[in-house]
Amino acid sequence: MLSVPVLIGLVITVAAVLLIGLAAAARRGASPARDHDTQRPAAPELLDSSPPSQYDLSELGRRLGVSRAVLERFETGYRTAEIPKPRGGVRRLEIPNEETKKLQRTILRRLLTSLDVHPFACGFEQGTSIVDAATPHEGRLVVVKMDIRRFFESTTSARIFAYFREIGWDAASADVLLRLTTHNGHLPQGAPTSPKISNLVNAPLDEALLRLVRRHNGAYSRYADDITMSFDIRRGRVVRGLTQVVRRILKSYGYTMHGGTKLKVLRRNQRQQVLGLVVNQKTALPRKTRRWLRAVRHHASVGRPVSLSEQQLNGWESLLTMVKTQRDD
Protein backbone atom coordinates (compact mmCIF):
# COMPACT_ATOMS: atom_id res chain seq x y z
CA MET A 1 0.00 0.00 0.00
CA LEU A 2 1.30 3.44 -0.99
CA SER A 3 2.09 5.86 1.75
CA VAL A 4 0.35 9.26 1.97
CA PRO A 5 3.38 11.25 0.72
CA VAL A 6 3.68 8.96 -2.30
CA LEU A 7 -0.02 9.30 -3.09
CA ILE A 8 0.24 13.08 -2.83
CA GLY A 9 3.20 13.02 -5.18
CA LEU A 10 1.31 10.96 -7.73
CA VAL A 11 -1.69 13.27 -7.59
CA ILE A 12 0.52 16.31 -8.15
CA THR A 13 2.29 14.62 -11.07
CA VAL A 14 -0.97 13.66 -12.79
CA ALA A 15 -2.39 17.15 -12.29
CA ALA A 16 0.73 18.75 -13.76
CA VAL A 17 0.58 16.50 -16.83
CA LEU A 18 -3.09 17.38 -17.38
CA LEU A 19 -2.42 21.10 -17.02
CA ILE A 20 0.48 20.97 -19.47
CA GLY A 21 -1.69 19.14 -21.99
CA LEU A 22 -4.52 21.63 -21.63
CA ALA A 23 -2.14 24.57 -22.02
CA ALA A 24 -0.61 23.08 -25.17
CA ALA A 25 -4.07 22.49 -26.65
CA ALA A 26 -5.11 26.05 -25.87
CA ARG A 27 -2.00 27.42 -27.55
CA ARG A 28 -2.70 25.33 -30.66
CA GLY A 29 -6.27 26.56 -30.78
CA ALA A 30 -5.33 30.21 -30.25
CA SER A 31 -2.41 30.35 -32.71
CA PRO A 32 -3.28 31.99 -36.06
CA ALA A 33 -2.54 30.19 -39.30
CA ARG A 34 1.00 30.83 -40.54
CA ASP A 35 0.32 30.29 -44.24
CA HIS A 36 -0.36 33.95 -44.88
CA ASP A 37 2.62 35.04 -42.78
CA THR A 38 5.09 33.10 -44.89
CA GLN A 39 3.94 35.07 -47.95
CA ARG A 40 4.75 38.41 -46.33
CA PRO A 41 8.03 40.21 -46.98
CA ALA A 42 8.79 40.36 -43.25
CA ALA A 43 11.58 38.23 -41.78
CA PRO A 44 10.08 34.85 -40.77
CA GLU A 45 12.08 34.67 -37.57
CA LEU A 46 10.45 37.90 -36.39
CA LEU A 47 6.97 36.59 -37.12
CA ASP A 48 7.61 33.19 -35.56
CA SER A 49 8.69 34.85 -32.33
CA SER A 50 5.53 36.96 -32.16
CA PRO A 51 2.96 36.29 -29.44
CA PRO A 52 -0.37 34.77 -30.53
CA SER A 53 -2.58 37.27 -32.36
CA GLN A 54 -5.07 39.04 -30.13
CA TYR A 55 -6.62 41.61 -32.45
CA ASP A 56 -8.49 41.17 -35.74
CA LEU A 57 -9.96 43.49 -38.37
CA SER A 58 -13.16 43.99 -36.40
CA GLU A 59 -11.13 45.20 -33.42
CA LEU A 60 -9.08 47.45 -35.70
CA GLY A 61 -12.23 49.00 -37.11
CA ARG A 62 -13.67 49.49 -33.63
CA ARG A 63 -10.56 51.30 -32.41
CA LEU A 64 -10.38 53.53 -35.46
CA GLY A 65 -14.11 54.19 -35.62
CA VAL A 66 -14.16 52.92 -39.21
CA SER A 67 -16.07 49.95 -40.57
CA ARG A 68 -14.21 46.81 -41.55
CA ALA A 69 -15.51 47.15 -45.11
CA VAL A 70 -14.08 50.67 -45.44
CA LEU A 71 -10.69 49.52 -44.14
CA GLU A 72 -10.56 46.66 -46.64
CA ARG A 73 -11.56 48.87 -49.61
CA PHE A 74 -9.63 52.03 -48.75
CA GLU A 75 -7.15 53.14 -51.40
CA THR A 76 -4.33 55.45 -50.40
CA GLY A 77 -3.07 58.25 -52.61
CA TYR A 78 0.21 60.21 -52.64
CA ARG A 79 1.92 62.95 -54.58
CA THR A 80 5.66 63.50 -54.77
CA ALA A 81 7.37 66.81 -54.03
CA GLU A 82 10.98 67.86 -53.72
CA ILE A 83 12.19 70.63 -51.41
CA PRO A 84 15.73 72.02 -51.18
CA LYS A 85 17.85 71.06 -48.19
CA PRO A 86 19.53 73.89 -46.24
CA ARG A 87 23.01 72.60 -47.12
CA GLY A 88 22.35 71.62 -50.71
CA GLY A 89 20.56 68.80 -52.44
CA VAL A 90 16.84 68.06 -52.30
CA ARG A 91 14.56 66.18 -49.94
CA ARG A 92 11.96 63.97 -51.61
CA LEU A 93 8.56 63.96 -49.93
CA GLU A 94 5.70 61.54 -50.51
CA ILE A 95 2.65 63.48 -49.37
CA PRO A 96 -0.66 61.66 -48.79
CA ASN A 97 -3.91 63.09 -50.15
CA GLU A 98 -6.41 64.52 -47.68
CA GLU A 99 -8.44 61.33 -47.21
CA THR A 100 -5.33 59.24 -46.64
CA LYS A 101 -3.86 61.85 -44.29
CA LYS A 102 -7.11 61.98 -42.29
CA LEU A 103 -7.13 58.22 -41.75
CA GLN A 104 -3.41 58.20 -40.93
CA ARG A 105 -3.97 60.86 -38.28
CA THR A 106 -6.69 58.68 -36.77
CA ILE A 107 -4.29 55.73 -36.71
CA LEU A 108 -1.66 57.90 -35.07
CA ARG A 109 -4.05 59.27 -32.45
CA ARG A 110 -5.97 56.09 -31.61
CA LEU A 111 -3.37 53.36 -32.09
CA LEU A 112 0.18 54.65 -32.06
CA THR A 113 0.58 57.66 -29.79
CA SER A 114 0.22 55.68 -26.55
CA LEU A 115 2.80 53.06 -27.56
CA ASP A 116 6.21 53.36 -25.90
CA VAL A 117 9.37 54.03 -27.88
CA HIS A 118 12.95 53.73 -26.68
CA PRO A 119 13.72 56.33 -23.99
CA PHE A 120 16.65 57.71 -25.99
CA ALA A 121 14.59 58.24 -29.16
CA CYS A 122 13.98 61.98 -28.73
CA GLY A 123 12.50 63.07 -32.04
CA PHE A 124 8.76 63.40 -32.74
CA GLU A 125 7.73 62.33 -29.22
CA GLN A 126 5.47 64.33 -26.95
CA GLY A 127 7.39 65.84 -24.05
CA THR A 128 10.79 65.54 -25.75
CA SER A 129 12.84 68.04 -27.73
CA ILE A 130 16.30 68.74 -29.11
CA VAL A 131 17.33 69.58 -25.54
CA ASP A 132 16.70 65.97 -24.47
CA ALA A 133 18.87 64.76 -27.34
CA ALA A 134 21.68 67.18 -26.50
CA THR A 135 21.99 67.22 -22.70
CA PRO A 136 23.33 63.64 -22.29
CA HIS A 137 26.46 64.78 -24.13
CA GLU A 138 27.42 67.74 -21.94
CA GLY A 139 31.07 68.07 -20.96
CA ARG A 140 32.45 65.01 -22.80
CA LEU A 141 35.91 64.67 -24.27
CA VAL A 142 34.54 63.66 -27.64
CA VAL A 143 31.13 63.92 -29.33
CA VAL A 144 30.42 61.78 -32.40
CA LYS A 145 27.60 62.79 -34.75
CA MET A 146 26.29 60.39 -37.38
CA ASP A 147 23.51 60.59 -39.92
CA ILE A 148 21.38 57.83 -41.48
CA ARG A 149 21.02 58.05 -45.24
CA ARG A 150 17.42 58.06 -46.55
CA PHE A 151 16.03 57.20 -43.14
CA PHE A 152 12.30 56.90 -43.92
CA GLU A 153 12.85 55.33 -47.32
CA SER A 154 15.10 52.69 -45.72
CA THR A 155 12.53 51.79 -43.04
CA THR A 156 10.94 48.93 -44.93
CA SER A 157 7.46 47.47 -45.05
CA ALA A 158 8.89 44.11 -43.98
CA ARG A 159 10.00 45.48 -40.61
CA ILE A 160 6.77 47.40 -40.11
CA PHE A 161 4.62 44.35 -40.86
CA ALA A 162 6.68 42.36 -38.37
CA TYR A 163 6.17 45.06 -35.74
CA PHE A 164 2.39 45.09 -36.15
CA ARG A 165 2.36 41.29 -35.82
CA GLU A 166 4.57 41.41 -32.75
CA ILE A 167 2.23 43.76 -30.89
CA GLY A 168 -0.71 41.42 -31.44
CA TRP A 169 -2.47 42.23 -34.72
CA ASP A 170 -3.41 39.24 -36.86
CA ALA A 171 -2.08 38.94 -40.40
CA ALA A 172 -5.14 40.53 -42.05
CA SER A 173 -5.05 43.53 -39.72
CA ALA A 174 -1.29 43.93 -40.11
CA ASP A 175 -1.82 43.89 -43.89
CA VAL A 176 -4.36 46.70 -43.66
CA LEU A 177 -2.20 48.79 -41.31
CA LEU A 178 0.78 48.25 -43.58
CA ARG A 179 -1.19 49.38 -46.64
CA LEU A 180 -2.44 52.48 -44.82
CA THR A 181 0.93 53.61 -43.44
CA THR A 182 3.52 52.66 -46.10
CA HIS A 183 4.07 53.54 -49.75
CA ASN A 184 6.23 51.78 -52.34
CA GLY A 185 7.58 49.39 -49.71
CA HIS A 186 8.71 51.94 -47.10
CA LEU A 187 7.64 54.71 -44.75
CA PRO A 188 6.64 57.78 -46.78
CA GLN A 189 8.33 60.96 -45.63
CA GLY A 190 5.32 63.27 -45.44
CA ALA A 191 2.80 60.92 -43.81
CA PRO A 192 1.80 61.88 -40.24
CA THR A 193 2.26 58.28 -39.06
CA SER A 194 5.82 57.84 -40.34
CA PRO A 195 7.79 59.57 -37.54
CA LYS A 196 6.07 57.60 -34.77
CA ILE A 197 6.32 54.28 -36.61
CA SER A 198 10.02 54.89 -37.29
CA ASN A 199 10.61 55.24 -33.54
CA LEU A 200 8.53 52.19 -32.69
CA VAL A 201 10.21 49.80 -35.12
CA ASN A 202 13.68 51.10 -34.25
CA ALA A 203 13.54 50.44 -30.51
CA PRO A 204 15.77 47.33 -30.97
CA LEU A 205 18.25 49.41 -32.97
CA ASP A 206 18.32 52.07 -30.27
CA GLU A 207 18.92 49.42 -27.62
CA ALA A 208 21.75 47.82 -29.62
CA LEU A 209 23.48 51.18 -30.02
CA LEU A 210 22.92 52.11 -26.37
CA ARG A 211 24.53 48.85 -25.22
CA LEU A 212 27.53 49.50 -27.44
CA VAL A 213 27.94 52.99 -26.00
CA ARG A 214 27.50 51.94 -22.39
CA ARG A 215 30.25 49.35 -22.75
CA HIS A 216 32.53 52.35 -23.20
CA ASN A 217 30.87 54.50 -20.49
CA GLY A 218 29.41 56.80 -23.10
CA ALA A 219 26.07 58.50 -23.78
CA TYR A 220 23.62 57.97 -26.67
CA SER A 221 20.64 59.74 -28.21
CA ARG A 222 18.80 59.62 -31.54
CA TYR A 223 16.66 62.36 -33.06
CA ALA A 224 15.06 60.89 -36.21
CA ASP A 225 18.03 60.14 -38.50
CA ASP A 226 20.59 61.99 -36.36
CA ILE A 227 22.59 59.74 -34.02
CA THR A 228 24.81 61.26 -31.34
CA MET A 229 27.27 59.46 -29.09
CA SER A 230 29.75 60.92 -26.64
CA PHE A 231 32.67 59.46 -24.72
CA ASP A 232 35.56 60.32 -22.46
CA ILE A 233 37.97 58.50 -24.78
CA ARG A 234 41.24 60.11 -25.81
CA ARG A 235 42.45 57.60 -28.40
CA GLY A 236 41.20 58.46 -31.87
CA ARG A 237 41.65 54.90 -33.08
CA VAL A 238 39.13 53.62 -30.52
CA VAL A 239 36.57 56.25 -31.56
CA ARG A 240 37.03 55.42 -35.24
CA GLY A 241 36.59 51.73 -34.44
CA LEU A 242 33.30 52.49 -32.66
CA THR A 243 31.96 54.35 -35.69
CA GLN A 244 32.65 51.29 -37.81
CA VAL A 245 30.74 49.10 -35.35
CA VAL A 246 27.83 51.55 -35.54
CA ARG A 247 27.97 51.33 -39.33
CA ARG A 248 27.66 47.54 -39.16
CA ILE A 249 24.80 47.65 -36.65
CA LEU A 250 22.89 50.09 -38.85
CA LYS A 251 23.45 47.87 -41.87
CA SER A 252 21.96 44.89 -40.02
CA TYR A 253 18.74 46.93 -39.71
CA GLY A 254 18.74 47.95 -43.36
CA TYR A 255 20.28 51.41 -42.94
CA THR A 256 23.35 53.11 -44.39
CA MET A 257 25.39 55.64 -42.45
CA HIS A 258 26.47 58.82 -44.20
CA GLY A 259 30.20 59.31 -44.43
CA GLY A 260 32.27 62.30 -45.40
CA THR A 261 31.35 65.61 -43.81
CA LYS A 262 28.20 64.21 -42.19
CA LEU A 263 30.29 62.03 -39.87
CA LYS A 264 31.71 64.42 -37.27
CA VAL A 265 34.08 63.67 -34.39
CA LEU A 266 34.25 66.76 -32.17
CA ARG A 267 36.87 67.12 -29.45
CA ARG A 268 36.55 69.33 -26.38
CA ASN A 269 38.73 72.05 -27.93
CA GLN A 270 36.17 72.35 -30.74
CA ARG A 271 32.59 73.58 -30.62
CA GLN A 272 30.61 70.46 -29.82
CA GLN A 273 27.23 71.17 -31.33
CA VAL A 274 24.28 68.75 -31.24
CA LEU A 275 21.14 69.66 -33.18
CA GLY A 276 22.10 73.32 -33.09
CA LEU A 277 22.89 73.36 -29.36
CA VAL A 278 26.40 73.64 -27.90
CA VAL A 279 27.21 71.00 -25.26
CA ASN A 280 30.85 71.72 -24.36
CA GLN A 281 29.65 72.71 -20.91
CA LYS A 282 25.95 73.36 -20.29
CA THR A 283 23.57 72.86 -23.18
CA ALA A 284 22.90 76.25 -24.78
CA LEU A 285 22.37 78.06 -28.03
CA PRO A 286 25.67 79.05 -29.65
CA ARG A 287 27.23 82.22 -28.18
CA LYS A 288 26.99 83.98 -31.55
CA THR A 289 23.26 83.30 -31.71
CA ARG A 290 22.69 84.51 -28.16
CA ARG A 291 24.60 87.76 -28.85
CA TRP A 292 22.64 88.35 -32.04
CA LEU A 293 19.37 87.76 -30.20
CA ARG A 294 20.34 90.24 -27.48
CA ALA A 295 21.15 92.84 -30.12
CA VAL A 296 17.82 92.31 -31.87
CA ARG A 297 15.99 92.53 -28.56
CA HIS A 298 17.78 95.79 -27.70
CA HIS A 299 17.07 97.35 -31.09
CA ALA A 300 13.41 96.44 -30.75
CA SER A 301 13.22 97.94 -27.24
CA VAL A 302 14.57 101.35 -28.37
CA GLY A 303 12.51 101.50 -31.53
CA ARG A 304 15.29 100.80 -34.00
CA PRO A 305 14.55 98.65 -37.08
CA VAL A 306 15.18 94.91 -36.62
CA SER A 307 15.56 92.03 -39.03
CA LEU A 308 12.84 89.92 -37.37
CA SER A 309 9.09 90.27 -37.12
CA GLU A 310 7.57 90.34 -33.65
CA GLN A 311 6.36 86.78 -34.14
CA GLN A 312 9.83 85.58 -35.17
CA LEU A 313 11.44 87.35 -32.22
CA ASN A 314 8.94 85.71 -29.85
CA GLY A 315 9.79 82.35 -31.40
CA TRP A 316 13.50 82.83 -30.71
CA GLU A 317 12.76 83.98 -27.17
CA SER A 318 10.63 80.88 -26.61
CA LEU A 319 13.45 78.64 -27.89
CA LEU A 320 15.95 80.31 -25.56
CA THR A 321 13.59 79.87 -22.59
CA MET A 322 12.88 76.26 -23.51
CA VAL A 323 16.58 75.39 -23.63
CA LYS A 324 17.27 76.98 -20.26
CA THR A 325 14.21 75.45 -18.59
CA GLN A 326 14.61 71.90 -19.87
CA ARG A 327 18.37 71.94 -19.35
CA ASP A 328 18.05 72.93 -15.69
CA ASP A 329 15.18 70.58 -14.82
Side-chain angles (χ1 to χ4, degrees), residues 82-127:
E82 291 184 346
I83 59 173
K85 293 182 179 180
R87 298 182 180 180
V90 295
R91 178 174 287 109
R92 186 171 181 270
L93 302 180
E94 293 168 310
I95 303 169
N97 60 29
E98 288 305 314
E99 287 301 312
T100 303
K101 190 181 296 183
K102 180 180 177 181
L103 185 51
Q104 288 173 341
R105 284 173 175 158
T106 301
I107 292 171
L108 177 64
R109 185 175 67 254
R110 296 194 176 190
L111 293 184
L112 303 178
T113 297
S114 62
L115 297 177
D116 291 334
V117 303
H118 196 277
F120 289 96
C122 303
F124 315 121
E125 294 299 316
Q126 292 181 359

Side-chain angles (χ1 to χ4, degrees), residues 8-212:
I8 293 173
L10 287 173
V11 170
I12 293 172
T13 301
V14 171
V17 170
L18 288 173
L19 287 172
I20 292 169
L22 289 171
R27 284 196 299 272
R28 288 193 297 271
S31 297
R34 295 290 181 184
D35 292 343
H36 184 81
D37 296 349
T38 58
Q39 299 171 10
R40 301 304 308 163
E45 64 271 19
L46 289 176
L47 298 183
D48 290 342
S49 63
S50 302
S53 300
Q54 304 173 48
Y55 312 120
D56 58 14
L57 267 177
S58 297
E59 175 65 11
L60 180 60
R62 186 189 70 79
R63 294 193 183 193
L64 296 179
V66 180
S67 72
R68 175 172 179 161
V70 168
L71 289 176
E72 291 177 322
R73 294 196 310 265
F74 192 92
E75 293 186 7
T76 58
Y78 292 84
R79 64 180 177 86
T80 301
E82 291 184 346
I83 59 173
K85 293 182 179 180
R87 298 182 180 180
V90 295
R91 178 174 287 109
R92 186 171 181 270
L93 302 180
E94 293 168 310
I95 303 169
N97 60 29
E98 288 305 314
E99 287 301 312
T100 303
K101 190 181 296 183
K102 180 180 177 181
L103 185 51
Q104 288 173 341
R105 284 173 175 158
T106 301
I107 292 171
L108 177 64
R109 185 175 67 254
R110 296 194 176 190
L111 293 184
L112 303 178
T113 297
S114 62
L115 297 177
D116 291 334
V117 303
H118 196 277
F120 289 96
C122 303
F124 315 121
E125 294 299 316
Q126 292 181 359
T128 65
S129 70
I130 58 174
V131 181
D132 298 285
T135 50
H137 310 290
E138 292 177 341
R140 292 282 187 165
L141 286 180
V142 60
V143 173
V144 184
K145 302 198 307 180
M146 291 159 279
D147 182 83
I148 300 174
R149 185 191 300 269
R150 296 176 179 172
F151 177 62
F152 288 104
E153 185 179 337
S154 300
T155 307
T156 62
S157 294
R159 295 179 61 212
I160 298 161
F161 180 83
Y163 174 78
F164 287 137
R165 294 288 282 121
E166 287 168 358
I167 63 173
W169 294 104
D170 67 11
S173 302
D175 261 335
V176 169
L177 286 169
L178 191 70
R179 179 164 49 81
L180 296 177
T181 59
T182 63
H183 182 58
N184 290 336
H186 59 259
L187 283 180
Q189 185 170 1
T193 45
S194 292
K196 180 69 177 187
I197 291 174
S198 72
N199 281 341
L200 290 169
V201 302
N202 279 312
L205 168 63
D206 289 322
E207 185 61 23
L209 294 175
L210 178 64
R211 288 179 180 177
L212 169 67

Side-chain angles (χ1 to χ4, degrees), residues 250-289:
L250 289 174
K251 185 177 180 180
S252 72
Y253 285 87
Y255 294 120
T256 302
M257 187 173 81
H258 270 292
T261 58
K262 290 201 172 185
L263 171 60
K264 297 184 182 298
V265 179
L266 305 172
R267 296 286 177 178
R268 182 173 284 176
N269 62 330
Q270 300 172 286
R271 186 171 68 178
Q272 297 172 328
Q273 192 164 311
V274 177
L275 299 169
L277 301 176
V278 177
V279 296
N280 290 69
Q281 296 176 349
K282 279 192 173 184
T283 301
L285 288 172
R287 182 180 292 111
K288 183 178 179 181
T289 302

